[in-house]
Amino acid sequence: MRIIFGETKLAQVLRDILALTRLNFNACLFGDGLPVTLNIGEILTAIPEVSGKPLPFVTIFELNTTRGWMGQSIQLERAAGMATNYQDKIERVATETLDVFGTIASSAESQLGQAYSTGPASLASVNTFTSGEAVKSLGDIDGAQRRSLEVLAREPAIARVVAQQADGRSAIYYICRETPAASPGGDKRLAGRNSPAGRLASLDVGDEYELRTPKGIQVLEIVEKALLHPLRRDGQWDSRNSVLEGETYGPVTVVSMRDILALQVAQDDDVSLLDSILADDEKASIVIEGIRRSVITKMGLRDQPILDRYQDEIFRLPLNSQLLIIGPPGTGKTTTLIRRLGQKLEREFLDEDERRLADGSRFENGPEHRNSWLMFTPTDLLKQYLKEAFARENIAAPDQKIATWSRFRLELARNRFRILRASTGGGPFVLKDIELFLQPGVLDSQTDWYEDFSRWQVDDFWGELDAAADLLRKSPATETSRLGTRLATTVAGARSIAFARAILGVTDASAEVDRLLEGVKQQTDGAIRRSLVLQVNRNRSFLDEFVVFLDSLIAADEDPDDLDGDEEEEVQAPRTRSAAAAAAYTRNLRSQARARFARRMLGKTSRAGRIAEWIADRTLPEADLRQIGESLQIQTALRKFANPVRRYLNGVPARYRRFRRARQADGVWYTQDPIPVGDVGPLEVDVMLLCTLRAVSELIGDRTIRRTIDEPVYSTLKESQELFRNQIMVDEATDFSPIQLACMGALGSPMIESFFACGDFNQRITTWGSRSTDDMRWAFPHIDIRPIQVTYRHSRQLSHLATEIVRLCSGETVEVVLPKNVDNDGVPPVLGTGLSQRDEIVAWLADRIIEIERFTRPLPSVAILVNDEAEVGPLADELQIALSGQNLNVVACYKGQFAGQENDIRVFDVEHIKGLEFEAVFFVGIDSLAVLRPELFDKYLYVGATRAATYLGLTCQGNELPDKIEPLRAEFASNW
C-alpha cells in the first residue's frame, strides 16, 4: 500500500498513524537524499532530526501483520488525510467557539443590565440593629455575582474540551474563568474552572477523568482540547494564540480564529491560482505547528488561566492540607498558590467535609470563610506584584490579607502581645533592625536555639508555679494551705501532659484563688491607704511635694526586683498628677514591705530606693511592714494562679530576657559583648512570637477551652481569637526562617491547620532563610512536599544556563523539564567585560536593548540589576539619556518599588528582584557582586538569571567572570 503526503512533518504523521492503528510498520522514506527503510518506532526515537523534517512523500509497507489488510488500509488513509488536512477541523472549532463566546458574553451583559436580585429588599423584614450581618452577606453575594458577570462579559471562556462518554456520545465543555450563569444549549456545557468539571481543561488528550455529578460518577475520555484567549475586536469576538489538539492532530497554535475564518471565506470564492497560493501561505502563518512561546510584555505575574495537570491536582487538595510546592523558577508555583486560594474561598467548590470545617472554625465576630485568609511574601515589591495577580483572579486582596513578615511581626509584637515597647506601655523590648547579639553559627541552628528557649521557658513557668504552690501549702492559714496542696499536685503532673490540659487543671481553681486573693488584698490595701491618709492629714501639701520629687526621678533606673509582685496587677493609669503620686506612694510601701519580709534592702540608687529615702519615716511601722510583706508574698503566689493563661502569654518576654542572660553567661547562642537589657533583634522577636502563638493555638484548639472561652480567666485568649485564619499561604517560603514559617502556620485555625506554601531552596536570598526540607518538616511535621519541574518561563538556552549555575556553585542537580510541543529555542546569554566606568556600561546596555527591540517589537519588559541602592538612580538617569533617541523610558525603582509603565526599562537593586519575571534581564558588575556578597552571590545570580525569559546579559568590571562561573564563559556571546 502506498500513501502520499504533502509537505508536512513526518514525526507527527507517524505518531498519528501509530495512535490510530496501534500497529508498528516499516516505512520507506523518500526525500532529501533518502530513501531509508526503518521501523516507524525507530524513526521516532532514534533519529528525530530525520523525523522532524518536511518530506515530499512517504511509502509505508505493512510487514509485521497479516490480518485486516483492508481495514488497516482504510485507517492508514484516514490517518494520512487527518495528518495533512486538519484545516477543516480548525475552522469548525473556530466557528463554534466564536459563536459560544458571543452567547456567553451577551447573557452576562444582559444580566449586568438587570437590577440586583438580592439585597435588603429581599428580606421579609429588616431590623437595622440585628440584620446587619445578613444585609452585608447579601451585599457580598451581589458584589461577587457582578464581578463574575463582568469577567464573563470580557472573557467568555478559556478552554474548550470535547469529552467522550461511556455510551460513545460526546459532550463539549466550555471552561470559564468564573462560574458561568447560562448554558449555550445542545451538547455544549459550561463549567467554571474551579468546579470539578474544570479539571478537564488541565488534562491531556487521551486522558480519562471521573467526573462526580448529581447522578453519580461519569467516566469521560478527552478527545479534543483547545486553550482559548478571548479578545473582542471591532465588536467581533476572536481568540488569539489558541492552542488546539485532537486525537489525530496538533497541538497547533492558531494565531487568530477570526483571521482563519476570513481566509476560508475568501477561498470559497472563485479565485486565481496566485490568490490561492497566497491564501495558503497566509493560512500557514496563522496556524503554527506546536505551541508558541508567549513574550513577557509587562512586569507582572504571567496569566496562566489553565494550570497543567500536576498544578491542577495540587490546587484541588482538601482544605485542611499542609503542602509545600518546590520547583525551579517559572514552574507556576505562585500561580498555583493563588488558584488554590481562589478555589477554596468559594463555598460552592467546597465538599461537605470542607464546608463543615470552614463553618466550625469561625470564632465569634471572626471573618467569614471567604475573608478568612492571610498570605505572606518577603518584600513589598512582590506584595504589589501579587495584588495585581489577585485582582486578575477576581479576589479582593487588601493590605490586611497580603503582608510582609517584617510588618506583620511588628504588629503582633507591639500591638497584640507584650513583647515590644509602645507609647502606651506594652512590652520590655525595643526592636533593632539587625541581629547584634547572636553568635554567627546561630543562623545554621535556629531550630535548636528555639527548642532550647522553649524548653527553658516552659520549665521556668511551671517552676514558678511550683514554688508558689509550695509557699501557699506552707501558709499558716488552713484554707490557703489546703489550696496550696491541691495546686502543688496539679503542677507536679503538668509537665507530663499536654499544655492545654495542664492549664485547664490550674484554671479549675481560679475561682477559689480569686476569692482568697481579694480577701488578703483588701487587708493590705487598707493598711497602706490608711498610712497615706495619715500623711495627707498631717501635711495637705504632701502629694504636691511628692509630685515635684517624682519629676526629678524620670531618668532613674527601675529595679527589676521591685516589680515582681505587681507585674500581674491590672492598674488603670492615674488621670491626675496627684493620683499618680498616690499610686507611687502605695507602690513604694509595697516594695518596702517585701524587702523587710525578705530581710533585704532596696537598692539605694534604684528608683524605689530613692523614693523610700524621700518618704523616710512617713511610712508604716517596721512590724506592719513585715506583716504586709508576708501578705504580699501570699498575694504574689495566689496571683500566679489567678490567671495562668495571661501570666504565661504575657510572661514570655520576661522569661526570654532571663534566658538570654543565663545562656550568655554559659557562652551559648549569644555574643559576649554587653547586651542592653531592652534591645532585641528581629529573629529574637520571632522566637518569642512562636512560643506565644503556639501556646495560643494549642489552647484555642482545645474543645473544653473553646466552650468556656467567655470565662474571665480566658479573656486574653479570647482577644487573640481574631488573629486566626482558615487559610495561610506563603510565597517564596524559603526566604523565611523555619521559625518564621512556624509562626505563620500557628496563625492558621487550629481546627483546620491549612497551610500552603511555595518556594525553591536554590532561590533563597536571605541568610536566615530555610535551607532544606528538614527545616520545613521541623515547622510542619506532617507537611506534604511536592516538586514540580516543568518550567514555562525560560528558553532552552537560559534553562540550561540556570541549571549549570546551580551545579557549579552548589554541586546540586536541578531537575528541569521544558514544556512539550513548545518552541523553546531562544538566544544565548551575552557578556560584556572590561566595563568599569558607568558610561561604558550604559553604552553596552543601550546597544543590547536596541538589539532586543529589533527582534521583539514592541520592546518587551526589561530589568537592569545593580549591586547597590545608590547605583539605581545614576544608572537610570544616564541610560535614559543614551536611549532618548529611541524614545524609550528608563525608571529607577528605588527600594524595589513598583514603578513605571508596562514598556519602561526598570533599574533595581538586586536585593529586590525575588519573584519577578521579565523578558530581558541585565546584571551590572557581576564580578563586583561576587566580592560584595560572597555568601549569597550564587543565590543572587541564580535568582536574577532566572527572572529572564529569553534575553540575559551580564557585565563585568574586569575581563574575567567570577571563579565559580568562569567555566560557563563558552555559553555566552558578545551580542545578539
Side-chain angles (χ1 to χ4, degrees):
M1 179 182 62
R2 176 183 175 93
I3 301 175
I4 298 179
F5 298 89
E7 288 281 335
T8 186
K9 286 193 175 181
L10 176 63
Q12 186 60 56
V13 173
L14 299 185
R15 287 192 187 97
D16 292 338
I17 294 172
L18 289 174
L20 277 174
T21 64
R22 305 192 187 281
L23 296 173
N24 201 359
F25 293 86
N26 287 343
C28 185
L29 315 179
F30 295 86
D32 291 349
L34 302 172
V36 175
T37 301
L38 286 172
N39 179 278
I40 289 179
E42 294 177 75
I43 297 171
L44 292 175
T45 58
I47 50 170
E49 69 275 11
V50 173
S51 61
K53 288 182 177 180
L55 297 171
F57 52 89
V58 181
T59 301
I60 297 178
F61 301 90
E62 183 186 46
L63 298 179
N64 61 342
T65 180
T66 56
R67 294 176 297 169
W69 173 266
M70 291 303 296
Q72 296 299 337
S73 299
I74 294 171
Q75 289 190 42
L76 287 173
E77 289 171 356
R78 187 184 303 131
M82 288 182 176
T84 57
N85 188 20
Y86 48 78
Q87 298 288 348
D88 290 345
K89 182 65 175 177
I90 291 174
E91 288 155 6
R92 286 197 299 272
V93 170
T95 301
E96 177 199 293
T97 297
L98 300 185
D99 287 344
V100 170
F101 281 179
T103 301
I104 296 173
S106 297
S107 175
E109 289 165 352
S110 174
Q111 292 180 67
L112 283 169
Q114 298 173 5
Y116 286 166
S117 59
T118 57
S122 65
L123 297 174
S125 62
V126 179
N127 183 318
T128 57
F129 290 100
T130 60
S131 301
E133 186 72 18
V135 171
K136 180 180 181 301
S137 295
L138 290 173
D140 290 343
I141 291 170
D142 270 334
Q145 288 177 342
R146 187 169 189 83
R147 287 192 297 271
S148 179
L149 290 170
E150 288 170 349
V151 171
L152 288 168
R154 66 174 180 266
E155 188 182 41
I158 54 178
R160 174 186 182 272
V161 179
V162 180
Q164 191 172 52
Q165 304 171 90
D167 59 7
R169 292 183 299 171
S170 294
I172 302 174
Y173 288 85
Y174 279 87
I175 310 300
C176 309
R177 191 186 289 265
E178 291 294 325
T179 303
S183 171
D187 59 351
K188 303 177 188 68
R189 304 171 187 179
L190 300 184
R193 61 176 174 169
N194 287 336
S195 68
R199 178 158 172 75
L200 290 168
S202 295
L203 300 177
D204 296 328
V205 171
D207 287 346
E208 288 189 350
Y209 177 56
E210 293 183 353
L211 177 64
R212 294 182 179 274
T213 70
K215 297 181 180 180
I217 294 177
Q218 189 175 31
V219 179
L220 302 174
E221 181 184 359
I222 299 171
V223 297
E224 199 173 335
K225 174 180 167 182
L227 300 181
L228 310 170
H229 301 96
L231 174 70
R232 185 147 27 185
R233 295 188 303 171
D234 301 325
Q236 292 186 313
W237 282 105
D238 193 6
S239 180
R240 306 287 292 183
N241 294 318
S242 308
V243 178
L244 278 62
E245 184 176 6
E247 287 186 309
T248 59
Y249 71 92
V252 295
T253 299
V254 179
V255 177
S256 167
M257 285 188 172
R258 177 66 57 192
D259 290 351
I260 201 74
L261 292 178
L263 280 173
Q264 177 61 28
V265 171
Q267 283 187 289
D268 287 343
D269 300 332
D270 186 16
V271 295
S272 66
L273 177 60
L274 174 61
D275 291 336
S276 177
I277 292 172
L278 293 175
D280 286 341
D281 187 56
E282 186 173 352
K283 190 174 292 187
S285 70
I286 298 174
V287 181
I288 302 169
E289 292 280 350
I291 301 173
R292 196 185 207 184
R293 286 186 77 236
S294 60
V295 175
I296 302 173
T297 57
K298 63 179 181 177
M299 190 174 97
L301 192 65
R302 187 192 302 259
D303 184 23
Q304 188 182 348
I306 298 297
L307 302 180
D308 67 30
R309 60 185 304 152
Y310 304 107
Q311 296 166 334
D312 189 89
E313 178 185 352
I314 288 171
F315 101 89
R316 295 179 189 273
L317 290 172
L319 177 64
N320 58 349
S321 301
Q322 291 187 340
L323 182 79
L324 170 68
I325 310 171
I326 59 173
T331 49
K333 301 183 296 296
T334 302
T335 300
T336 306
L337 205 69
I338 294 173
R339 287 288 310 281
R340 155 77 177 191
L341 178 63
Q343 202 256 1
K344 295 304 178 186
L345 290 181
E346 300 294 341
R347 287 184 61 85
E348 64 180 295
F349 301 131
L350 303 179
D351 61 28
E352 292 184 8
D353 291 338
E354 290 175 322
R355 290 176 185 174
R356 190 161 46 248
L357 282 172
D359 294 339
S361 67
R362 187 176 182 184
F363 298 113
E364 181 182 351
N365 299 323
E368 61 178 341
H369 176 70
R370 179 174 177 80
N371 295 313
S372 185
W373 62 274
L374 271 175
M375 175 175 271
F376 291 99
T377 182
T379 65
D380 283 313
L381 177 60
L382 193 50
K383 172 182 169 180
Q384 297 303 317
Y385 188 61
L386 287 171
K387 290 181 75 169
E388 282 200 356
F390 275 109
R392 192 164 56 231
E393 295 295 331
N394 205 14
I395 301 173
D399 287 338
Q400 294 85 348
K401 293 179 182 176
I402 303 183
T404 61
W405 177 247
S406 58
R407 297 281 182 88
F408 202 83
R409 170 207 284 138
L410 185 63
E411 165 67 20
L412 288 179
R414 185 180 188 271
N415 302 327
R416 291 287 183 174
F417 301 113
R418 297 166 59 132
I419 295 175
L420 296 180
R421 192 177 302 162
S423 56
T424 55
F429 292 113
V430 174
L431 180 63
K432 301 299 180 181
D433 289 338
I434 57 176
E435 303 298 338
L436 298 172
F437 318 124
L438 298 178
Q439 294 180 8
V442 172
L443 294 182
D444 298 328
S445 52
Q446 298 173 61
T447 56
D448 293 336
W449 171 44
Y450 168 81
E451 295 286 2
D452 187 21
F453 170 63
S454 180
R455 287 189 298 268
W456 190 96
Q457 68 97 23
V458 167
D459 287 343
D460 186 72
F461 172 74
W462 291 116
E464 276 191 351
L465 293 189
D466 188 50
D470 189 57
L471 189 148
L472 295 174
R473 185 174 56 81
K474 295 176 181 178
S475 171
T478 304
E479 189 175 9
T480 302
S481 178
R482 185 169 57 248
L483 176 61
T485 301
R486 173 186 167 190
L487 290 171
T489 302
T490 301
V491 172
R495 291 177 176 84
S496 60
I497 59 176
F499 180 71
R501 295 283 97 187
I503 287 291
L504 273 171
V506 177
T507 56
D508 284 345
S510 60
E512 188 176 353
V513 168
D514 287 341
R515 183 176 56 79
L516 279 175
L517 179 60
E518 184 61 27
V520 294
K521 187 174 183 297
Q522 285 181 0
Q523 294 177 7
T524 56
D525 288 354
I528 293 173
R529 181 171 178 78
R530 285 192 293 273
S531 176
L532 176 60
V533 170
L534 177 62
Q535 302 309 320
V536 173
N537 288 340
R538 288 176 176 175
N539 178 12
R540 294 181 64 85
S541 300
F542 175 77
L543 290 178
D544 294 334
E545 295 170 4
F546 194 24
V547 165
V548 174
F549 173 75
L550 290 174
D551 287 344
S552 70
L553 297 179
I554 291 177
D557 292 332
E558 194 71 78
D559 184 349
D561 292 335
D562 299 333
L563 303 177
D564 293 343
D566 293 324
E567 64 183 51
E568 290 298 316
E569 288 195 64
E570 297 285 343
V571 181
Q572 186 174 2
R575 296 184 178 181
T576 66
R577 290 166 62 82
S578 295
Y585 179 87
T586 300
R587 192 160 52 248
N588 190 260
L589 259 60
R590 286 177 176 169
S591 295
Q592 291 185 44
R594 289 194 197 93
R596 294 294 193 281
F597 182 75
R599 301 184 184 279
R600 63 178 175 84
M601 298 295 291
L602 294 174
K604 290 185 177 182
T605 59
S606 70
R607 181 182 177 88
R610 294 175 65 181
I611 292 175
E613 183 180 4
W614 185 89
I615 292 175
D617 59 355
R618 289 171 289 190
T619 184
L620 287 165
E622 185 76 15
D624 290 350
L625 285 174
R626 288 183 179 278
Q627 185 178 359
I628 290 174
E630 183 178 11
S631 177
L632 288 174
Q633 188 182 39
I634 294 295
Q635 289 179 47
T636 298
L638 287 170
R639 197 170 285 116
K640 292 181 188 298
F641 293 98
N643 198 322
V645 174
R646 187 178 67 212
R647 180 172 187 81
Y648 181 86
L649 299 179
N650 291 350
V652 168
R655 292 193 289 275
Y656 179 76
R657 188 160 57 184
R658 295 196 295 273
F659 168 81
R660 185 168 69 176
R661 192 163 54 235
R663 288 297 185 259
Q664 187 184 32
D666 297 336
V668 178
W669 306 126
Y670 303 94
T671 65
Q672 292 304 300
D673 298 329
I675 300 177
V677 68
D679 289 355
V680 70
L683 298 186
E684 293 180 277
V685 175
D686 293 337
V687 164
M688 288 182 270
L689 278 176
L690 183 53
C691 279
T692 305
L693 289 170
R694 278 185 167 175
V696 172
S697 180
E698 182 177 349
L699 292 170
I700 288 180
D702 186 272
R703 293 182 180 179
T704 303
I705 291 177
R706 285 206 307 278
R707 285 198 302 269
T708 56
I709 196 73
D710 291 323
E711 293 184 5
V713 72
Y714 298 125
S715 58
T716 304
L717 209 56
K718 187 174 182 179
E719 292 171 2
S720 300
Q721 281 186 140
E722 63 185 54
L723 290 174
F724 292 94
R725 295 293 182 268
N726 287 359
Q727 296 186 80
I728 301 295
M729 324 289 283
V730 183
D731 190 30
E732 303 294 349
T734 57
D735 271 358
F736 298 107
S737 74
I739 294 170
Q740 291 167 350
L741 291 171
C743 285
M744 298 169 193
L747 292 166
S749 166
M751 288 78 79
I752 301 178
E753 296 184 326
S754 177
F755 181 83
F756 233 73
C758 67
D760 177 10
F761 293 111
N762 289 313
Q763 292 189 74
R764 174 185 60 83
I765 57 172
T766 58
T767 55
W768 58 83
S770 296
R771 306 182 181 203
S772 67
T773 56
D774 290 340
D775 284 343
M776 297 300 304
R777 295 196 188 280
W778 177 87
F780 304 95
H782 305 296
I783 196 167
D784 182 11
I785 299 177
R786 296 202 182 187
I788 53 178
Q789 300 171 340
V790 181
T791 177
Y792 296 93
R793 179 186 303 159
H794 311 113
S795 66
R796 175 181 58 79
Q797 289 87 343
L798 294 191
S799 179
H800 172 71
L801 180 71
T803 58
E804 286 298 288
I805 289 172
V806 174
R807 183 183 65 81
L808 289 171
C809 295
S810 69
E812 298 178 4
T813 301
V814 178
E815 298 294 337
V816 176
V817 178
L818 294 173
K820 63 181 182 179
N821 301 313
V822 176
D823 181 8
N824 294 299
D825 267 341
V827 294
V830 293
L831 174 65
T833 58
L835 304 176
S836 59
Q837 301 301 314
R838 188 181 296 136
D839 59 344
E840 296 172 334
I841 296 169
V842 166
W844 187 87
L845 289 171
D847 288 344
R848 301 292 81 72
I849 290 170
I850 292 170
E851 281 183 306
I852 292 173
E853 190 173 29
R854 288 172 182 162
F855 291 137
T856 308
R857 296 182 61 87
L859 182 71
S861 59
V862 177
I864 299 171
L865 310 179
V866 297
N867 298 331
D868 188 87
E869 189 70 29
E871 277 295 306
V872 171
L875 183 69
D877 292 342
E878 292 196 23
L879 187 59
Q880 175 68 71
I881 295 171
L883 291 172
S884 59
Q886 280 67 41
N887 296 302
L888 294 172
N889 193 41
V890 183
V891 177
C893 298
Y894 295 104
K895 295 184 178 180
Q897 295 302 305
F898 200 76
Q901 303 300 316
E902 286 187 5
N903 294 113
D904 288 343
I905 299 160
R906 294 174 171 87
V907 183
F908 295 94
D909 183 339
V910 69
E911 290 187 347
H912 300 297
I913 45 77
K914 187 69 177 287
L916 308 181
E917 63 177 345
F918 304 87
E919 191 69 13
V921 170
F922 294 94
F923 266 99
V924 174
I926 194 69
D927 49 350
S928 299
L929 179 64
V931 175
L932 291 171
R933 301 299 298 270
E935 74 284 2
L936 288 175
F937 159 71
D938 57 323
K939 302 295 184 186
Y940 278 127
L941 175 60
Y942 179 71
V943 171
T946 55
R947 300 311 91 199
T950 304
Y951 305 98
L952 175 68
L954 274 59
T955 76
C956 290
Q957 289 189 356
N959 293 315
E960 303 295 333
L961 282 167
D963 291 341
K964 284 186 175 181
I965 61 170
E966 178 61 33
L968 295 177
R969 179 181 283 270
E971 304 285 339
F972 291 86
S974 59
N975 58 65
W976 287 306

